[in-house]
Amino acid sequence: MDPLFLLRPWESPEVTSWGRLPMSAVDRRAGSLSLDGEWRFQLLPSPDAELGGAWSSQTLPGAWTLQNTDDLPVYLNVRMPFPDVPPSVPAANPTGVYERVVDVPADWTGKRITLQVGAAESVLLVHVDGRPVGISKDSHLAADFDITAFARPGERILVRLTVVKWSDASHIEDQDHWWHAGITRSVLLHATDPLHLADVDVRASADGALRVDCEVRNADGELPEGWYVTGELNGALLTQDAELDRFNEEDGRVSAFLGEVRLNHQVADVRPWTAETPALYDLAVRLHRADGSVADVSRHRVGFRDVAIVGRDLLVNGERVFLRGVNRHDFHPLTGRTVSYEDMRADLVLLKRFNFNAVRTSHYPNDPAFYDLADELGVYVVDEANVESHDHAHEIADDPRYLNAFVDRVSRMVLRDKNHPSVIVWSLGNESDYGANHDAAAGWVRRHDPTRPVQYEGAAKLDWAAASDASDIACPMYASLDEVVAHALSGKQTKPLIWCEYSHAMGNSNGTLADHWAAIESTPGLQGGFIWEFWDHGILQRVNDGRPAGRGGAGLYESGVAGPGHRWAYGGDFGEPDHDGAFIADGVVFPDRTPKPVMFEHREIAAPVRIALDGDGNLVVSNHQHFRGLDWLTAEWRLALADGTDLVAGAGLPELAPGDSGVVPVPFALPQDGGEAWLTLRVSTAEDLPWAPAGTEVCVPQVRLRGPSAAGEPVAKGRVDIDDDGLLVHPLLTSPPVLSLWRAPTDNDELGGIASRWRAWGLDQLVREVVSVQRDGGTVIVDAEYAGATGVVRHRQILTPVEGGIHVDESAQVPEAFHDVARVGTVFETVAGLDLLEWFGQGPWESYPDRAAGAPVGHHAQPVDRLFTPYLRPQESGGRHGVRRFTLSAPDATGLAVTLDGPRQVSVTRHRADDLTAAAHHDELVPRAGCVVHVDAAHRGLGTASCGPDTFPSYLVATGCHHWSWTLRVL
């Protein structure tokens, strides 16, 4: 029997590998032979099934769950997709067999030949010409195998890669993501000299000190005489450390099979690496034979930086830095976990443009190219091991059968990624309880790499102040802001507090983000956190047959919306009976990487340049960076007046050191009249950067220079037309203005249990009954009651004809029974053809009461069809906060104008709340010809209650009397 199958690795947690080479930081991608592309393929029902029948083909890298098989993606968050308890797996266990004939280059004679499989989910078995080579587990790290004995240069070999979908390892890869299967990263063939660099360990400090430790091995046996190692950094030669050689001799550690060399160098006037200033140096390490010829080379890009924890502060190069982070899965809407270099670069470029500076690789190590890009572009990385046992966390944390797997996965991650300056923290994994297996892994990391802290939420959550657990950082998950601030002020804090997850970005979400950062920046001991998460994981799906669109689906999506005949699939859309629905759609970008409105909120919260007015009315500009001045930026001032005036003036930013502020003159003389006046500083890049061309907007900080003028009382002129129910009749309205307390529930409303209360109260089916209709000259006073299941809202409308239109004064008495409603306001619908919204208020993007810091006040215009935000599950969206007035117009400039009594929440879309509530996907929505307009006196905040705290009490809609007024005129 095949010895690999005899081991039955899919049900043996003690078997983590067989025949697999040790992990190292030596990068073999350059000069390798790519085996990516078409492989012949059979999908078997289990690993014990016999091959038979016709072969199909699969493109590697890629998951077979997205390539025309009957084994489709499944989404579950916590629960496993099968009932078996660890380490057991189901007998029905899809097994993919890949084969490809490979021509071994003739010039590889005498070389050591290795095969690398970048990632396989979840167990990989390797054969060459029918002979067993090795086994590997860990779906997110590469497996290398020495196939020199099987590969004859100049001849052909048959490579077979067998991938078993379910294994004991699946129980520790339960990571709130689509379950896929296949080979999801590149397959490569390498050739090196038998005498080779086995590992290179680079330590580069912010003071310019460089230490390079090299391990040398010979695949043919003992090391030959006379070999040596040299190093070169940006053209400067490194020196060999003779002290290490003496230490080895005295300690008896000299081995005939392992050579160790230490190289040193001191860089004068070093340029330290930070996320703001990602300076890199080119290092080449060369292994020489006795005659001086080069046997092997390892190249690295070195960043000189220090990471330390001092007291309760995490320091980079001695500075306390804020981590403005996001969690990121490997994801693409067409290829699943297979992500190209170009895609990874686009991810990080987008994050940099929106002022994120950190990524947590949730919940596994990323492709090696990701770290190269983070080094180059400047991103702090919390590198997380591929360990999550969510469904069976308590059992596995102390299970000795899984001890090797924990240590293996954590240690291999560290060995591969240790030379990247971007990696500043090691994470032991996610949501796996806490046990001896974590302590063992933490002990290995701390011994091998004392230059970086270790974190693990499961250890730290037991006691944020504990000093002896497996986490050097208190990294809570969705802890409330009150809790973390109280901890920081308690006097008991012993370590930095940085949320590993907070502000859950599911649907229309991320309320109170600005409040969180106001507290973080003003509370010593708090240093930031990582939003959950970067992506909405919608898979592009063909609506006609319910299958993934696959690689041929490119170009079928744009600006967040799937194209005709397609939609973004989430849990349950592939026919799986057990799933967790749209909980997979919880990112700050849509599946096509279109930014959601929260990205603009974050951009301003994390702005490197900010403005404010001091107590004397002086204009103050501040540099909120940690390491650099403002010379890389340019800016212009903009003044927006309530009367419609917009002024622009050039601006030279002052020279400010990191953290400094300076007073600058107000660039405009305010006119005596004109009402409200808002001053905005538009900051952009002054020159081309690796992540942004010159002119890219970086932030738009704003201050109010003058408040609104008092409005006069409306003067009645003419008559108001109403129907028998006391409802306004108007030629531009197809549905009259009525009271609204309901919104299409957001994901936070639904999963937080808020929407169920609203339905129980009957807010989605209020029954209006007229109490009285009175006329006082041209004014009409309408009193009505809106009855729900448990309470009644008393509503009064006073309709007064004014010059050119109608003034509507409204009040609503919300009873205690309705102590937390979605909104209190007016809804009406317009005739068709009014396709352009122009407004004075916050914008241009969507904003809500607790997510409005990123929407500056000004004059904005958008086509109505672009106001709606297409969250994957239709819900309340498209609102604009702080609107003072707006117009809806047709192409011929006719339409209506609405003036409000103060800043109000307004939305204008093509969808009623009931339309959105009834739809599961956007392809089910039919836009209405006219506009559905909401004008709210009060609107509930968004919060993040789908996973995390709800909005704050200050953003809830209070009971009692609400009063608002607005004037409708014809353009």
Side-chain angles (χ1 to χ4, degrees), residues 198-259:
D199 199 10
V200 174
D201 188 335
V202 179
R203 305 276 174 95
S205 303
D207 62 2
L210 175 66
R211 191 188 90 187
V212 182
D213 289 331
C214 308
E215 292 184 2
V216 178
R217 292 186 184 273
N218 182 17
D220 292 339
E222 292 189 8
L223 292 169
E225 294 291 332
W227 65 268
Y228 61 97
V229 175
T230 62
E232 186 178 339
L233 184 78
N234 279 18
L237 294 178
L238 279 59
T239 58
Q240 186 164 330
D241 192 334
E243 292 297 322
L244 178 66
D245 294 339
R246 271 204 302 274
F247 169 76
N248 285 341
E249 292 170 4
E250 293 168 3
D251 200 44
R253 289 175 56 200
V254 173
S255 167
F257 300 97
L258 172 64

Coordinates of all heavy atoms in Angstrom, one line a residue, residues 198-259:
A198 N 20.8 27.3 3.9 CA 19.6 26.6 4.5 C 18.7 27.7 5.2 O 17.5 27.5 5.3 CB 20.0 25.6 5.5
D199 N 19.3 28.8 5.7 CA 18.5 29.8 6.3 C 19.3 31.1 6.4 O 20.6 31.0 6.5 CB 18.0 29.4 7.7 CG 16.8 30.3 8.2 OD1 16.3 31.0 7.3 OD2 16.4 30.1 9.3
V200 N 18.7 32.2 6.4 CA 19.3 33.5 6.6 C 18.4 34.3 7.6 O 17.2 34.5 7.4 CB 19.5 34.3 5.3 CG1 20.0 35.7 5.6 CG2 20.4 33.5 4.4
D201 N 19.0 34.7 8.7 CA 18.3 35.5 9.7 C 18.9 36.9 9.8 O 20.0 37.1 10.2 CB 18.4 34.7 11.1 CG 17.6 35.3 12.2 OD1 17.2 36.5 12.1 OD2 17.2 34.6 13.1
V202 N 18.0 37.9 9.5 CA 18.5 39.3 9.4 C 18.0 40.0 10.6 O 16.8 40.1 10.9 CB 18.0 40.0 8.1 CG1 18.5 41.4 8.1 CG2 18.5 39.2 6.9
R203 N 18.9 40.7 11.4 CA 18.5 41.6 12.5 C 19.0 42.9 12.1 O 20.3 43.1 12.1 CB 19.0 41.1 13.8 CG 18.6 39.6 14.1 CD 17.3 39.5 14.8 NE 16.9 38.1 15.0 CZ 17.0 37.5 16.1 NH1 17.7 38.0 17.1 NH2 16.6 36.2 16.2
A204 N 18.2 43.9 11.9 CA 18.6 45.2 11.5 C 17.9 46.3 12.4 O 16.7 46.4 12.5 CB 18.2 45.5 10.1
S205 N 18.7 47.0 13.2 CA 18.2 47.9 14.3 C 18.2 49.3 13.7 O 18.9 49.7 12.8 CB 19.2 47.8 15.5 OG 19.2 46.5 16.0
A206 N 17.3 50.1 14.4 CA 17.1 51.5 14.0 C 18.4 52.3 14.1 O 18.5 53.4 13.4 CB 16.0 52.1 14.8
D207 N 19.4 51.9 14.8 CA 20.6 52.6 14.9 C 21.6 52.3 13.8 O 22.7 52.8 13.8 CB 21.3 52.4 16.3 CG 21.7 50.9 16.5 OD1 21.5 50.1 15.6 OD2 22.2 50.6 17.6
G208 N 21.2 51.4 12.9 CA 22.0 51.1 11.7 C 22.8 49.8 11.9 O 23.6 49.4 11.0
A209 N 22.7 49.1 13.1 CA 23.5 47.9 13.3 C 22.8 46.7 12.5 O 21.6 46.6 12.6 CB 23.6 47.6 14.8
L210 N 23.6 46.0 11.8 CA 23.0 44.9 11.0 C 23.8 43.6 11.4 O 25.0 43.6 11.5 CB 23.3 45.1 9.5 CG 22.9 44.0 8.6 CD1 21.4 43.7 8.6 CD2 23.3 44.3 7.1
R211 N 23.0 42.5 11.7 CA 23.5 41.2 12.0 C 22.8 40.2 11.1 O 21.6 40.2 11.0 CB 23.3 40.9 13.4 CG 24.1 39.6 13.9 CD 23.7 39.2 15.3 NE 22.6 38.3 15.3 CZ 21.9 37.9 16.4 NH1 22.3 38.3 17.6 NH2 20.9 37.0 16.3
V212 N 23.6 39.4 10.4 CA 23.0 38.4 9.5 C 23.6 37.0 9.9 O 24.8 36.8 9.8 CB 23.4 38.7 8.0 CG1 22.7 37.7 7.1 CG2 22.9 40.1 7.6
D213 N 22.7 36.2 10.4 CA 23.1 34.8 10.7 C 22.7 33.8 9.6 O 21.6 33.8 9.2 CB 22.4 34.4 12.0 CG 23.0 35.1 13.2 OD1 24.2 35.5 13.2 OD2 22.2 35.3 14.2
C214 N 23.7 33.1 9.2 CA 23.5 32.2 8.0 C 23.7 30.7 8.4 O 24.6 30.4 9.2 CB 24.5 32.5 6.9 SG 24.5 34.3 6.4
E215 N 22.9 29.9 7.9 CA 23.0 28.4 8.1 C 23.3 27.8 6.7 O 22.7 28.1 5.7 CB 21.8 27.8 8.7 CG 21.5 28.1 10.1 CD 20.3 27.4 10.7 OE1 19.8 26.5 10.0 OE2 20.0 27.6 11.8
V216 N 24.3 26.9 6.6 CA 24.8 26.3 5.4 C 24.7 24.8 5.5 O 25.1 24.2 6.5 CB 26.2 26.8 5.1 CG1 26.7 26.1 3.8 CG2 26.3 28.3 4.9
R217 N 24.1 24.2 4.5 CA 24.0 22.7 4.5 C 24.5 22.2 3.1 O 24.5 23.0 2.1 CB 22.6 22.3 4.8 CG 22.2 22.5 6.2 CD 20.8 21.9 6.5 NE 20.4 22.2 7.8 CZ 20.6 21.5 8.9 NH1 21.4 20.4 8.8 NH2 20.2 21.9 10.1
N218 N 24.8 20.9 3.0 CA 25.1 20.3 1.8 C 24.2 19.1 1.6 O 24.2 18.2 2.5 CB 26.6 19.8 1.8 CG 27.0 19.1 0.5 OD1 26.3 19.3 -0.5 ND2 28.1 18.4 0.5
A219 N 23.4 19.1 0.6 CA 22.4 18.0 0.3 C 23.1 16.7 0.1 O 22.5 15.6 0.3 CB 21.5 18.4 -0.9
D220 N 24.4 16.7 -0.2 CA 25.1 15.5 -0.5 C 25.7 14.9 0.7 O 26.4 13.8 0.6 CB 26.2 15.7 -1.6 CG 25.5 16.0 -3.0 OD1 24.4 15.6 -3.2 OD2 26.2 16.6 -3.8
G221 N 25.6 15.5 1.8 CA 26.2 15.0 3.1 C 27.0 16.0 3.8 O 26.5 17.1 4.1
E222 N 28.3 15.7 4.1 CA 29.1 16.6 4.9 C 29.5 17.8 4.1 O 29.5 17.8 2.8 CB 30.4 15.9 5.3 CG 30.2 14.8 6.3 CD 31.5 14.3 6.9 OE1 32.6 14.9 6.6 OE2 31.5 13.3 7.6
L223 N 29.7 19.0 4.8 CA 30.1 20.2 4.1 C 31.5 20.1 3.5 O 32.4 19.5 4.2 CB 30.1 21.4 5.1 CG 28.7 21.8 5.7 CD1 28.9 22.7 6.8 CD2 27.9 22.4 4.6
P224 N 31.7 20.6 2.3 CA 33.0 20.5 1.7 C 34.0 21.5 2.4 O 33.6 22.4 3.1 CB 32.8 20.9 0.3 CG 31.6 21.8 0.4 CD 30.7 21.3 1.5
E225 N 35.3 21.3 2.3 CA 36.3 22.1 2.9 C 36.3 23.5 2.2 O 36.0 23.6 0.9 CB 37.7 21.5 2.7 CG 37.8 20.2 3.5 CD 37.8 20.5 5.0 OE1 38.2 21.6 5.4 OE2 37.4 19.6 5.8
G226 N 36.5 24.6 2.9 CA 36.9 25.9 2.3 C 35.7 26.7 2.0 O 35.9 27.9 1.5
W227 N 34.5 26.3 2.2 CA 33.3 27.2 1.9 C 33.3 28.4 2.7 O 33.9 28.4 3.9 CB 32.0 26.4 2.0 CG 31.7 26.0 3.4 CD1 32.0 24.8 4.0 CD2 31.0 26.8 4.4 NE1 31.6 24.8 5.3 CE2 31.0 26.0 5.6 CE3 30.5 28.1 4.5 CZ2 30.4 26.5 6.8 CZ3 29.9 28.5 5.6 CH2 29.9 27.8 6.8
Y228 N 32.7 29.5 2.3 CA 32.6 30.7 3.1 C 31.4 31.5 2.6 O 30.9 31.3 1.5 CB 33.9 31.5 3.1 CG 34.4 32.0 1.7 CD1 34.1 33.4 1.3 CD2 35.1 31.2 0.8 CE1 34.5 33.8 0.0 CE2 35.5 31.7 -0.4 CZ 35.2 33.0 -0.8 OH 35.5 33.4 -2.0
V229 N 31.1 32.5 3.4 CA 29.9 33.4 3.1 C 30.3 34.8 3.1 O 31.1 35.3 3.9 CB 28.8 33.1 4.1 CG1 27.6 34.1 3.9 CG2 28.3 31.7 4.1
T230 N 29.8 35.6 2.1 CA 30.0 37.0 2.1 C 28.6 37.7 2.0 O 27.6 37.1 1.6 CB 30.8 37.5 0.9 OG1 30.1 37.1 -0.3 CG2 32.2 36.8 0.9
G231 N 28.6 38.9 2.4 CA 27.4 39.7 2.3 C 27.7 41.1 1.8 O 28.8 41.7 2.0
E232 N 26.7 41.7 1.2 CA 26.8 43.0 0.6 C 25.5 43.8 0.8 O 24.4 43.3 0.5 CB 27.1 42.9 -0.9 CG 27.4 44.2 -1.6 CD 27.8 44.0 -3.1 OE1 28.2 42.9 -3.4 OE2 27.7 45.0 -3.8
L233 N 25.6 45.0 1.4 CA 24.4 45.8 1.6 C 24.6 47.1 0.9 O 25.5 47.9 1.1 CB 24.3 46.1 3.1 CG 23.0 46.9 3.5 CD1 21.8 46.0 3.5 CD2 23.2 47.6 4.9
N234 N 23.7 47.3 -0.1 CA 23.8 48.5 -1.0 C 25.3 48.8 -1.4 O 25.7 49.9 -1.4 CB 23.3 49.7 -0.3 CG 21.8 49.8 -0.3 OD1 21.1 48.8 -0.6 ND2 21.2 51.0 0.0
G235 N 26.0 47.7 -1.8 CA 27.3 47.8 -2.3 C 28.4 47.8 -1.3 O 29.6 47.6 -1.6
A236 N 28.1 47.8 0.0 CA 29.1 47.8 1.1 C 29.2 46.4 1.6 O 28.2 45.7 1.8 CB 28.6 48.7 2.2
L237 N 30.4 45.9 1.8 CA 30.7 44.5 2.2 C 30.5 44.4 3.7 O 30.9 45.3 4.5 CB 32.1 44.1 1.8 CG 32.4 44.0 0.3 CD1 33.9 43.7 0.1 CD2 31.5 43.0 -0.3
L238 N 29.9 43.3 4.1 CA 29.7 43.0 5.5 C 31.0 42.2 6.0 O 31.7 41.6 5.2 CB 28.5 42.1 5.7 CG 27.1 42.8 5.7 CD1 26.8 43.5 4.5 CD2 26.0 41.7 6.0
T239 N 31.2 42.3 7.3 CA 32.3 41.6 7.9 C 31.8 40.4 8.6 O 30.7 40.3 9.2 CB 33.1 42.5 8.9 OG1 32.1 43.0 9.9 CG2 33.6 43.7 8.2
Q240 N 32.7 39.3 8.7 CA 32.4 38.1 9.4 C 32.7 38.2 10.8 O 33.7 38.8 11.2 CB 33.1 36.9 8.8 CG 32.7 35.6 9.4 CD 33.1 34.4 8.5 OE1 33.2 34.5 7.3 NE2 33.3 33.3 9.2
D241 N 31.8 37.7 11.7 CA 32.0 37.8 13.1 C 32.8 36.6 13.6 O 32.3 35.5 13.7 CB 30.6 37.7 13.8 CG 30.6 38.1 15.2 OD1 31.7 37.9 15.9 OD2 29.6 38.6 15.8
A242 N 34.1 36.9 13.9 CA 35.0 35.8 14.4 C 34.6 35.3 15.8 O 34.9 34.2 16.1 CB 36.4 36.4 14.4
E243 N 33.9 36.2 16.6 CA 33.5 35.7 17.9 C 32.6 34.5 17.8 O 32.6 33.6 18.6 CB 32.8 36.9 18.7 CG 33.8 38.0 19.0 CD 34.8 37.6 20.0 OE1 34.5 36.7 20.9 OE2 36.0 38.0 19.8
L244 N 31.7 34.5 16.9 CA 30.7 33.4 16.7 C 31.5 32.1 16.4 O 31.2 31.1 16.9 CB 29.7 33.7 15.6 CG 28.7 32.6 15.3 CD1 27.8 32.3 16.5 CD2 27.9 32.8 14.1
D245 N 32.5 32.2 15.5 CA 33.3 31.1 15.2 C 34.0 30.5 16.4 O 34.0 29.3 16.6 CB 34.4 31.4 14.1 CG 33.7 31.8 12.8 OD1 32.5 31.4 12.6 OD2 34.4 32.5 12.0
R246 N 34.6 31.4 17.2 CA 35.3 30.9 18.4 C 34.3 30.2 19.4 O 34.6 29.2 20.0 CB 36.0 32.0 19.1 CG 37.4 32.2 18.6 CD 38.3 33.0 19.6 NE 37.7 34.3 20.0 CZ 38.0 35.4 19.3 NH1 38.7 35.4 18.2 NH2 37.4 36.5 19.7
F247 N 33.1 30.9 19.5 CA 32.1 30.3 20.4 C 31.7 28.9 20.0 O 31.6 28.0 20.8 CB 30.9 31.3 20.4 CG 29.7 30.7 21.1 CD1 29.6 30.7 22.5 CD2 28.6 30.2 20.4 CE1 28.5 30.1 23.1 CE2 27.5 29.7 21.0 CZ 27.4 29.7 22.4
N248 N 31.5 28.7 18.7 CA 31.1 27.4 18.2 C 32.2 26.4 18.5 O 31.9 25.2 18.9 CB 30.9 27.5 16.7 CG 29.6 28.2 16.4 OD1 28.7 28.3 17.2 ND2 29.4 28.6 15.2
E249 N 33.5 26.8 18.3 CA 34.5 25.8 18.6 C 34.6 25.4 20.0 O 34.8 24.3 20.4 CB 35.9 26.4 18.1 CG 35.9 26.5 16.6 CD 37.1 27.3 16.1 OE1 37.9 27.7 17.0 OE2 37.3 27.6 14.9
E250 N 34.5 26.5 20.9 CA 34.7 26.2 22.3 C 33.5 25.4 22.8 O 33.6 24.6 23.8 CB 34.8 27.5 23.1 CG 36.0 28.3 22.8 CD 36.0 29.7 23.3 OE1 35.0 30.1 24.0 OE2 37.0 30.5 23.1
D251 N 32.3 25.6 22.3 CA 31.1 25.0 22.8 C 30.9 23.6 22.1 O 29.9 22.9 22.4 CB 29.9 25.9 22.5 CG 28.7 25.5 23.3 OD1 28.9 25.3 24.5 OD2 27.6 25.4 22.8
G252 N 31.7 23.3 21.2 CA 31.6 22.0 20.5 C 30.4 21.9 19.6 O 29.9 20.9 19.3
R253 N 30.0 23.1 19.1 CA 28.8 23.1 18.2 C 29.2 23.0 16.7 O 28.3 23.0 15.9 CB 28.0 24.4 18.5 CG 27.3 24.4 19.8 CD 26.6 25.7 20.1 NE 25.6 26.0 19.0 CZ 25.2 27.3 18.8 NH1 25.6 28.3 19.5 NH2 24.3 27.5 17.8
V254 N 30.5 22.9 16.4 CA 30.8 22.8 15.0 C 30.3 21.5 14.5 O 30.6 20.4 15.1 CB 32.3 23.0 14.8 CG1 32.7 22.7 13.4 CG2 32.8 24.3 15.2
S255 N 29.6 21.5 13.4 CA 29.1 20.3 12.8 C 29.6 20.1 11.4 O 29.8 21.0 10.7 CB 27.5 20.3 12.8 OG 27.0 19.3 12.0
A256 N 29.8 18.8 11.0 CA 30.2 18.5 9.7 C 29.1 18.8 8.7 O 29.3 18.8 7.5 CB 30.7 17.1 9.6
F257 N 27.9 18.9 9.2 CA 26.7 18.9 8.3 C 26.0 20.3 8.4 O 25.1 20.5 7.6 CB 25.7 17.8 8.7 CG 26.3 16.4 8.6 CD1 26.8 15.8 9.7 CD2 26.3 15.8 7.4 CE1 27.3 14.5 9.6 CE2 26.9 14.5 7.3 CZ 27.4 13.9 8.4
L258 N 26.3 21.1 9.3 CA 25.7 22.4 9.4 C 26.7 23.5 9.7 O 27.4 23.4 10.7 CB 24.6 22.4 10.6 CG 24.0 23.8 10.9 CD1 23.2 24.3 9.7 CD2 23.2 23.7 12.2
G259 N 26.8 24.4 8.8 CA 27.7 25.5 9.0 C 26.9 26.8 9.4 O 25.8 27.0 9.0

